[in-house]
Amino acid sequence: MEFINAFLIGGTTCLVFQAIMMATKLEPPKLLIFGLGLGGLLSAFGIMGALLSFNTAGMLIMAVGAGDAVFGATTLALMGDWSMVALVLGIFAALILLGVAAGWIYCKKNKL
């Protein structure tokens, strides 16, 4: 049943984001930032917790799940525990470096 729930939640989320992208002509980076913000907003209202309790696997791999992680880290930081903020920033920094390296390799390979 967990796989079916993951498919339903994750697939529905992907469907909604695809429809938003097609209707608004947003570029993928802007849509990802929208997803991060939406994840934080859903977390603040407790909706993300309900979705995660229904099925964790369908939400954590999405940008919305990353927004939930940022919300959780920020909440902990406001309570005085900065360790999760450092972890989230470290993960984002590593992803940025990987993206820059991939872009550099792509440009060198295609002589751009």
Side-chain angles (χ1 to χ4, degrees), residues 2-3 6 22 27 45 49 53 55 63 84-86 92 97 101-102 109-111:
E2 184 174 340
F3 294 116
M22 291 173 71
E27 294 91 17
F45 288 111
S53 68
N55 187 274
M84 287 303 293
V85 172
F92 280 149
L97 289 174
K109 181 181 171 190
N110 295 314
K111 299 185 183 6

Coordinates of all heavy atoms in Angstrom, one line a residue, residues 2-3 6 22 27 45 49 53 55 63 84-86 92 97 101-102 109-111:
E2 N 2.1 1.2 0.6 CA 2.9 2.3 0.7 C 3.3 2.8 -0.7 O 3.4 4.0 -1.0 CB 4.2 2.0 1.5 CG 5.1 3.2 1.7 CD 6.3 2.9 2.6 OE1 6.2 1.9 3.4 OE2 7.2 3.6 2.6
F3 N 3.6 1.9 -1.7 CA 3.9 2.3 -3.0 C 2.8 3.0 -3.7 O 3.0 3.9 -4.5 CB 4.4 1.0 -3.8 CG 5.6 0.4 -3.3 CD1 5.6 -0.9 -2.8 CD2 6.8 1.1 -3.3 CE1 6.8 -1.5 -2.3 CE2 8.0 0.5 -2.9 CZ 8.0 -0.8 -2.4
A6 N 2.6 6.4 -2.3 CA 3.7 7.3 -2.8 C 3.4 7.7 -4.3 O 3.7 8.8 -4.6 CB 5.0 6.5 -2.7
M22 N 3.0 24.7 -17.2 CA 2.4 24.9 -18.6 C 1.4 26.1 -18.6 O 1.4 26.8 -19.7 CB 1.6 23.6 -19.0 CG 2.6 22.4 -19.2 SD 1.7 20.9 -19.5 CE 1.0 21.2 -21.1
E27 N 9.8 29.1 -15.8 CA 11.0 28.3 -16.1 C 11.2 27.3 -14.8 O 10.7 27.7 -13.7 CB 12.3 29.1 -16.2 CG 12.2 30.0 -17.5 CD 11.6 31.4 -17.2 OE1 11.6 31.7 -16.0 OE2 11.3 32.0 -18.1
F45 N 1.2 25.6 8.2 CA -0.3 25.3 8.4 C -0.6 23.9 8.8 O -1.7 23.5 9.0 CB -1.1 25.7 7.2 CG -1.2 27.2 7.0 CD1 -0.6 27.8 6.0 CD2 -1.9 28.0 8.0 CE1 -0.6 29.2 5.8 CE2 -1.9 29.4 7.8 CZ -1.3 30.0 6.7
G49 N 2.6 18.1 7.4 CA 2.6 17.0 8.4 C 1.6 15.9 8.1 O 1.9 14.7 8.2
S53 N 2.4 12.1 7.1 CA 1.9 11.0 7.8 C 1.2 10.0 7.0 O 1.1 8.8 7.2 CB 1.0 11.4 9.0 OG -0.2 12.0 8.5
N55 N 1.9 9.4 3.6 CA 3.0 8.7 2.9 C 4.2 9.6 2.8 O 4.1 10.6 2.2 CB 2.5 8.3 1.6 CG 3.6 7.4 0.9 OD1 4.5 7.9 0.3 ND2 3.4 6.1 1.1
A63 N 10.5 19.1 -4.3 CA 10.9 20.5 -3.9 C 10.0 20.9 -2.7 O 10.5 21.6 -1.8 CB 10.7 21.5 -5.0
M84 N 20.8 22.2 12.5 CA 20.1 21.8 11.3 C 20.2 22.8 10.2 O 20.2 22.5 9.0 CB 18.6 21.5 11.6 CG 18.3 20.2 12.4 SD 18.9 18.8 11.5 CE 17.9 18.7 10.1
V85 N 20.3 24.1 10.6 CA 20.5 25.1 9.6 C 21.8 24.9 8.9 O 21.9 25.0 7.7 CB 20.4 26.5 10.2 CG1 20.8 27.6 9.3 CG2 19.0 26.8 10.8
A86 N 22.8 24.6 9.7 CA 24.2 24.3 9.1 C 24.1 23.1 8.1 O 24.7 23.2 7.1 CB 25.2 24.1 10.2
F92 N 22.6 22.4 0.5 CA 22.4 23.3 -0.6 C 23.7 23.8 -1.2 O 23.8 23.9 -2.5 CB 21.6 24.5 -0.1 CG 20.1 24.3 0.0 CD1 19.3 25.0 0.9 CD2 19.5 23.4 -0.8 CE1 18.0 24.7 1.0 CE2 18.1 23.1 -0.7 CZ 17.4 23.8 0.2
L97 N 27.4 23.6 -5.9 CA 28.7 23.3 -6.4 C 28.6 22.2 -7.5 O 29.3 22.2 -8.5 CB 29.7 22.8 -5.3 CG 30.2 23.9 -4.4 CD1 31.0 23.4 -3.3 CD2 30.9 25.0 -5.2
A101 N 29.6 22.7 -11.4 CA 30.6 21.8 -12.0 C 30.0 21.2 -13.3 O 30.6 21.1 -14.3 CB 31.1 20.8 -11.0
A102 N 28.7 20.7 -13.2 CA 28.1 20.1 -14.3 C 27.9 21.1 -15.5 O 28.1 20.8 -16.6 CB 26.7 19.6 -13.9
K109 N 32.5 20.8 -22.9 CA 32.3 19.7 -23.8 C 31.7 20.2 -25.1 O 32.0 19.7 -26.2 CB 31.4 18.7 -23.2 CG 31.1 17.5 -24.0 CD 30.1 16.5 -23.4 CE 29.7 15.4 -24.3 NZ 28.6 14.6 -23.7
N110 N 30.8 21.1 -25.0 CA 30.1 21.7 -26.2 C 30.7 22.9 -26.8 O 30.1 23.6 -27.6 CB 28.6 21.9 -25.9 CG 27.9 20.5 -25.6 OD1 28.1 19.6 -26.4 ND2 27.1 20.5 -24.6
K111 N 31.8 23.3 -26.2 CA 32.6 24.5 -26.7 C 31.7 25.8 -26.7 O 31.7 26.5 -27.7 CB 33.2 24.3 -28.0 CG 34.2 23.1 -28.0 CD 34.9 23.0 -29.3 CE 35.9 21.9 -29.4 NZ 36.1 20.9 -28.5

